[in-house]
Amino acid sequence: MPDAAHHTTTRSGLPGRFPRARPRLPVLALLCLAIAGCAAARLHDEGINLVDRGQVEAGLAKLAAAAKSDPENFSYRIDLIQTRTRIVNRLLRKADSRRSAGQYDDAADLYRRVLQIDAQNPRAKAGLDNIAMDRRHAATLVKAKALFAEHDLDRAQHLVRSILLEDPEHREAKILQRKIAEAFADNAVAGPALLPEFKRPVTLEFRDANLKMVVEALSRASGLNIILDKDVRGDLKTTIFVKDASVEDTIDLIAMQNELNKKILSSNTVLLYPDTPAKVKEYQDLMIRSFQLTNADAKHMEKMVKTLLKTKDLYVDEKTNSLVMRDTPDAVRLAEKLIASQDLAEPEVMLEVEVLEVTRARLTELGIKLPEQIALSASGTPSSTTVNTLPGGGVVTNTTPSQPLTLRDLNHLNSSYFTVSSLNAAIDLKDESGDVNILASPRIRVRNHEKAKILIGDRVPVITNAVTPVSTGSPVVTGNVQYLDVGLKLNVQPYIHPDDDVEIKVDLEVSNIVREISSGPTLAYQIGTRSANTVLRLKDGETQVLAGLINDEDRKSAQKFPGLGDLPILGRLFSSHKNDKKKTEIVLSITPHLTRRNQRPDASDTEFWSGTDGNLRSRPITLEPTRAPKAHAATSPASAHPRSATTASKSDATTDDNTAAPAAAKADQSTGLYPPVPVEPSDNNTGSTGNATDAPAPLGLDWSGPHAVKVGDQFQVVLRGDARKPVSNMSFTVDYDPKAMTVMHIAEGKLLKQNGKKTVFTSKIDPGTGRAFFYMSRLAPQGATGKGSLAVLTFSARKAVSNSAITIDQSKVVGSGGTALAPAHAQPMLVTLKP
């Protein structure tokens, strides 16, 4: 009965120690795990298949479910991460390509798709921000191009600079900036500037006249408000004789003569003040500009700006590699040009190196090897053992030891006493040859002036032990391990010249371990080395082979039977000859490929005016002949008089102020000035009044052609002209985007061929810079008039770009008799290249 508490009854009524239901629980758990594992594997396979079919979102969801279902299987997690990373990178590359092609909507959709996969992806977020900036820049660029087409260079330059401040690598903005710089050498200064009508011409003739009277006359002639500082001396005299000079240049010249400085207060107001340190500090505006440098070192740029521009307020932020300066607007513009000419990317070169170690071996071993010696030996009596059995069953063993050979035994020697060493002969029939090529073909990309090192081999340890004796106890052993580079070592240092030649300093060393040298606890090696140092100058893609590092070994040996081995013919039967030849040569082949070429700064950034030693200016003081702007000639203040488009002020004033005042009063009695000099008739003026007319240009220009083409197709664009005056010859320079399209052919139009006249037509295409030039001339006394085609340009679409512009950069038109005519400005031809 005590054991009854420990027994249970099964369903069959039999007693049992443990219930049967418990062993089923582990089985069910294992079964559930197996089912879960199968489900995870199915989800994983389905995810991979969906990704392969292009359904990336659904596939990634399946892979994530598989990793979550079986968290112990790390391969599912790795596949999820690798697949997601590969898909995200592919979508980002595609989005960046669409953005660079101007397809902003498609690029934005791709960036949003990336964020659906990886919500925290920084590149996708930055891509959406950049698209918003690109849209804003595109709208600003359209305005800038329109202003450039209207010859409003100041406002166009200001808009272009606002784009380049945010995106210094904006290609179209840089192209437009270059065109503006070529058309208008002086970059516009941000801030107040004189209106274009105040660049109108004036003629002044004053001799020793009072400065205030000259300023008053100039103000009345130009309609410009000129304010004199209270500290400008009233006794200043001015002598000036200028004809057809702009108002702005005239003011600069007067200020320079009288040691004055100029400050533009508004679009029609100028302040003149003494050019003294105190006044300059009071009136001169300073601006702050931060330069974010991409390639140049900020500290080097700081030294250059300080040396050339004498700027004191400079700050260098080494963390962001930026330079911040505070100076006058002219100094900032000059610093922009200096930094733009230096902040260029360093060229890089890809070096394709092939190192070949050629080993040629030849081993010949022929002949018969006979026994080299025969050894005979005589031995004494060997030891012997006898066993005897006694009658009682006992065993007696008697051993007789060996007896050495004695002189008495020599009388009884026979063949049984002698032993002979083994005799063997061999026939050598061995002829081996081998060529071993050990090839190393590394490719390494290196920047200009930097060193690159290639090591293909081993680092062998050299162990040395130093024993230091002590007064008591065992000596102290100190071990030291040094490593030797054994194998192929190649050091290269390129220098990329402006003409794209690559100068390479080559240091080649090939080493191997000859043998180990062990001396007690010290282990060393004998190293065999072959090296070469040279300097090469190669062109892009040119291959140079360096060879001749040769190690040549020739070893011969022979084994002969004495006498018989020296016989002329039969001697081969009694001798064996061995010839061992080994020749090793190192061959180096090196080929440079330029991956980034030397960038040359624009011409406007390499040579520009910087003012005088005491006054920085972004343009020189000039008095170039000019004419009044057509658009404002009728509305300028000076045009109140019917003949005042070009005005001359004369004064017979002497050095005496008393005589100068009546002269000025006499001038005020008429139109405020002495009688003006009439303007000469021109295309923009009628008669002698000088009033601007709305007459069209002698030659009108426009483009015709398709506005959308597919990449890979060819299309034609026609430049048409409307000659309102006889035209004899013309030349044009056309700009286009060389990455988006290229000019295949230029054909002459029909305008100059009127009435069957012969013409001369030449063209030149520069696909690298995206420029095409063509010239046409009519071989007839009378020029051509009317409408017709001037040239037909055949393009090939290369890359998908939205609204790629084809523009006329330069033009020259000559009429009958060699008269220069001004052609009308042609609006850019915009072509969308679709993928």
Side-chain angles (χ1 to χ4, degrees):
M1 293 301 294
D3 296 334
H6 300 281
H7 283 76
T8 60
T9 303
T10 63
R11 292 183 180 181
S12 61
L14 298 176
R17 178 66 64 176
F18 299 102
R20 283 188 171 182
R22 291 185 180 177
R24 296 180 181 178
L25 295 177
V27 175
L28 292 176
L30 292 175
L31 182 60
C32 292
L33 291 175
I35 295 173
C38 294
R42 186 182 71 256
L43 290 173
H44 177 268
D45 295 339
E46 291 177 357
I48 295 295
N49 293 332
L50 288 174
V51 170
D52 293 339
R53 292 200 300 265
Q55 303 177 20
V56 294
E57 287 82 359
L60 289 175
K62 293 283 187 181
L63 292 176
K68 184 177 181 181
S69 177
D70 190 2
E72 300 297 331
N73 193 332
F74 292 103
S75 62
Y76 294 164
R77 182 67 178 170
I78 293 173
D79 288 345
L80 172 62
I81 295 174
Q82 290 180 347
T83 304
R84 182 169 56 193
T85 302
R86 184 177 68 253
I87 292 173
V88 166
N89 290 336
R90 184 178 63 192
L91 292 176
L92 287 174
R93 288 194 299 268
K94 192 174 181 180
D96 292 341
S97 177
R98 297 289 176 86
R99 175 184 164 231
S100 62
Q103 302 175 11
Y104 300 130
D105 294 336
D106 294 342
D109 293 339
L110 291 172
Y111 285 130
R112 295 190 189 98
R113 191 176 174 185
V114 171
L115 291 176
Q116 291 177 357
I117 299 173
D118 183 5
Q120 302 300 326
N121 190 276
R123 285 184 59 187
K125 293 181 179 180
L128 291 175
D129 295 338
N130 290 334
I131 287 177
M133 182 182 66
D134 290 343
R135 293 182 188 273
R136 187 174 68 254
H137 288 172
T140 304
L141 190 64
V142 171
K143 296 179 182 178
K145 289 181 178 179
L147 292 173
F148 178 72
E150 297 173 0
H151 299 282
D152 192 348
L153 304 180
D154 290 333
R155 295 172 61 191
Q157 177 70 15
H158 178 68
L159 293 178
V160 170
R161 286 189 67 252
S162 67
I163 297 175
L164 294 177
L165 285 176
E166 293 184 352
D167 186 5
E169 300 301 325
H170 197 289
R171 186 180 182 280
E172 294 188 13
K174 292 174 70 175
I175 293 175
L176 184 57
Q177 185 187 44
R178 177 176 56 82
K179 293 179 180 179
I180 294 174
E182 292 176 356
F184 184 51
D186 182 23
N187 288 338
V189 177
L194 298 178
L195 290 178
E197 59 260 36
F198 298 117
K199 298 182 184 295
R200 57 180 297 115
V202 294
T203 299
L204 296 179
E205 296 182 5
F206 286 99
R207 180 182 292 108
D208 293 332
N210 184 271
L211 174 64
K212 294 184 178 180
M213 184 188 71
V214 176
V215 170
E216 180 182 359
L218 182 59
S219 176
R220 292 189 179 188
S222 62
L224 186 67
N225 300 324
I226 303 178
I227 301 175
L228 296 178
D229 184 81
K230 62 182 181 63
D231 292 332
V232 175
R233 300 199 329 264
D235 59 344
L236 294 176
K237 304 290 183 179
T238 297
T239 298
I240 183 171
F241 298 91
V242 295
K243 183 178 180 180
D244 291 338
S246 68
V247 176
E248 187 175 8
D249 290 342
T250 304
I251 293 176
D252 290 339
L253 185 59
I254 293 174
M256 184 182 67
Q257 286 180 334
N258 295 275
E259 297 182 353
L260 302 177
N261 212 331
K262 177 186 72 174
K263 177 179 176 63
I264 299 175
L265 300 180
S266 66
S267 60
N268 64 343
T269 305
V270 175
L271 171 67
L272 297 179
Y273 59 91
D275 191 9
T276 59
K279 287 296 180 180
V280 169
K281 188 175 181 181
E282 179 181 353
Y283 283 115
Q284 194 172 55
D285 291 327
L286 301 179
M287 63 185 300
I288 296 177
R289 173 68 193 278
S290 177
F291 297 94
Q292 186 71 41
L293 304 179
T294 305
N295 304 287
D297 183 72
K299 287 188 175 181
H300 294 166
M301 293 297 100
E302 178 191 20
K303 295 179 181 178
M304 182 183 68
V305 173
K306 280 185 176 181
T307 302
L308 297 179
L309 303 182
K310 307 299 187 293
T311 300
K312 297 180 180 179
D313 297 334
L314 285 172
Y315 175 76
V316 173
D317 188 351
E318 297 184 9
K319 183 178 180 181
T320 59
N321 194 36
S322 60
L323 176 67
V324 182
M325 69 176 296
R326 182 175 183 262
D327 211 323
T328 63
D330 280 325
V332 171
R333 299 296 172 265
L334 294 174
E336 286 180 356
K337 292 181 176 293
L338 286 174
I339 294 176
S341 65
Q342 301 296 322
D343 191 21
L344 303 176
E346 282 283 348
E348 295 184 8
V349 62
M350 175 71 76
L351 298 178
E352 290 187 0
V353 181
E354 292 186 354
V355 181
L356 185 65
E357 184 176 2
V358 182
T359 302
R360 300 180 181 90
R362 181 69 180 269
L363 175 62
T364 303
E365 192 171 354
L366 300 174
I368 299 176
K369 285 186 177 180
L370 297 176
E372 297 180 358
Q373 62 182 3
I374 299 175
L376 298 175
S377 61
S379 61
T381 304
S383 63
S384 61
T385 302
T386 59
V387 179
N388 299 320
T389 303
L390 299 177
V395 176
V396 177
T397 302
N398 296 319
T399 302
T400 302
S402 61
Q403 298 295 327
L405 186 65
T406 63
L407 292 176
R408 188 179 60 181
D409 295 335
L410 294 177
N411 298 326
H412 308 286
L413 289 179
N414 53 33
S415 59
S416 60
Y417 282 86
F418 291 94
T419 60
V420 182
S421 62
S422 60
L423 300 175
N424 53 36
I427 300 176
D428 291 330
L429 300 174
K430 189 175 182 180
D431 189 358
E432 292 182 354
S433 63
D435 293 332
V436 180
N437 298 333
I438 303 175
L439 177 64
S441 181
R443 300 181 64 186
I444 186 169
R445 180 169 176 171
V446 60
R447 198 170 64 174
N448 192 25
H449 294 215
E450 299 293 337
K451 292 183 179 180
K453 181 178 180 180
I454 301 172
L455 172 62
I456 302 175
D458 301 316
R459 302 199 69 193
V460 180
V462 178
I463 303 174
T464 57
N465 293 326
V467 180
T468 304
V470 293
S471 58
T472 59
S474 301
V476 177
V477 179
T478 304
N480 185 23
V481 180
Q482 296 179 346
Y483 290 90
L484 295 177
D485 294 332
V486 178
L488 170 66
K489 289 193 295 184
L490 178 63
N491 297 330
V492 292
Q493 184 177 8
Y495 177 76
I496 303 174
H497 293 271
D499 58 355
D500 290 341
D501 280 4
V502 183
E503 183 178 308
I504 309 172
K505 185 178 181 181
V506 181
D507 184 4
L508 173 66
E509 179 181 328
V510 180
S511 58
N512 63 300
I513 299 177
V514 177
R515 64 188 181 94
E516 293 184 0
I517 301 175
S518 178
S519 175
T522 302
L523 178 64
Y525 300 93
Q526 179 180 345
I527 307 296
T529 305
R530 281 168 290 173
S531 62
N533 297 320
T534 186
V535 178
L536 308 175
R537 180 160 180 168
L538 306 175
K539 293 188 175 295
D540 182 20
E542 183 181 357
T543 301
Q544 179 63 48
V545 177
L546 301 178
L549 298 176
I550 301 174
N551 182 20
D552 196 354
E553 299 179 3
D554 189 356
R555 298 177 181 178
K556 297 181 179 181
S557 61
Q559 294 181 354
K560 303 178 182 180
F561 193 85
L564 297 178
D566 294 328
L567 296 176
I569 297 176
L570 297 178
R572 284 289 182 175
L573 298 177
F574 301 97
S575 63
S576 177
H577 296 265
K578 181 179 179 180
N579 296 333
D580 188 1
K581 295 183 178 181
K582 188 175 181 181
K583 183 177 182 181
T584 304
E585 180 178 6
I586 301 295
V587 179
L588 170 66
S589 170
I590 186 168
T591 305
H593 295 284
L594 291 177
T595 57
R596 179 180 290 142
R597 301 179 183 273
N598 276 297
Q599 294 184 3
R600 297 180 181 271
D602 294 338
S604 59
D605 294 332
T606 56
E607 184 179 19
F608 47 89
W609 296 102
S610 62
T612 63
D613 187 56
N615 188 11
L616 294 176
R617 293 174 57 91
S618 57
R619 66 181 181 89
I621 297 179
T622 59
L623 290 174
E624 297 181 357
T626 183
R627 293 188 181 274
K630 179 181 71 173
H632 303 277
T635 60
S636 62
S639 63
H641 192 276
R643 302 175 59 201
S644 61
T646 301
T647 307
S649 299
K650 297 183 179 180
S651 176
D652 294 330
T654 64
T655 57
D656 189 358
D657 293 344
N658 296 328
T659 59
K666 182 178 179 181
D668 293 340
Q669 293 177 1
S670 57
T671 61
L673 295 170
Y674 283 104
V677 177
V679 69
E680 297 179 359
S682 68
D683 295 331
N684 295 329
N685 300 298
T686 58
S688 61
T689 62
N691 294 333
T693 66
D694 295 330
L699 177 65
L701 299 174
D702 65 342
W703 294 97
S704 65
H707 294 283
V709 296
K710 292 184 178 180
V711 174
D713 294 347
Q714 292 188 0
F715 62 97
Q716 290 185 341
V717 175
V718 181
L719 178 62
R720 303 182 62 84
D722 183 6
R724 304 176 183 93
K725 290 186 178 181
V727 177
S728 294
N729 61 74
M730 294 171 284
S731 63
F732 297 94
T733 301
V734 177
D735 274 5
Y736 60 91
D737 185 357
K739 294 183 179 179
M741 64 184 76
T742 184
V743 177
M744 306 299 294
H745 178 67
I746 303 177
E748 183 183 5
K750 300 180 179 180
L751 180 60
L752 296 187
K753 293 183 178 181
Q754 293 178 1
N755 302 325
K757 300 298 183 181
K758 294 183 178 181
T759 59
V760 175
F761 184 83
T762 60
S763 63
K764 181 180 179 181
I765 302 171
D766 188 355
T769 60
R771 282 198 163 192
F773 170 82
F774 51 92
Y775 167 83
M776 61 197 76
S777 177
R778 178 181 171 93
L779 303 179
Q782 297 296 329
T785 57
K787 298 181 179 180
S789 60
L790 299 177
V792 180
L793 287 79
T794 302
F795 287 87
S796 176
R798 302 177 59 184
K799 179 182 178 182
V801 175
S802 178
N803 292 331
S804 182
I806 303 173
T807 59
I808 297 178
D809 185 42
Q810 297 178 6
S811 60
K812 182 178 180 181
V813 181
V814 178
S816 300
T819 303
L821 303 178
H825 180 78
Q827 293 294 333
M829 176 72 182
L830 301 180
V831 182
T832 298
L833 308 179
K834 299 181 179 180

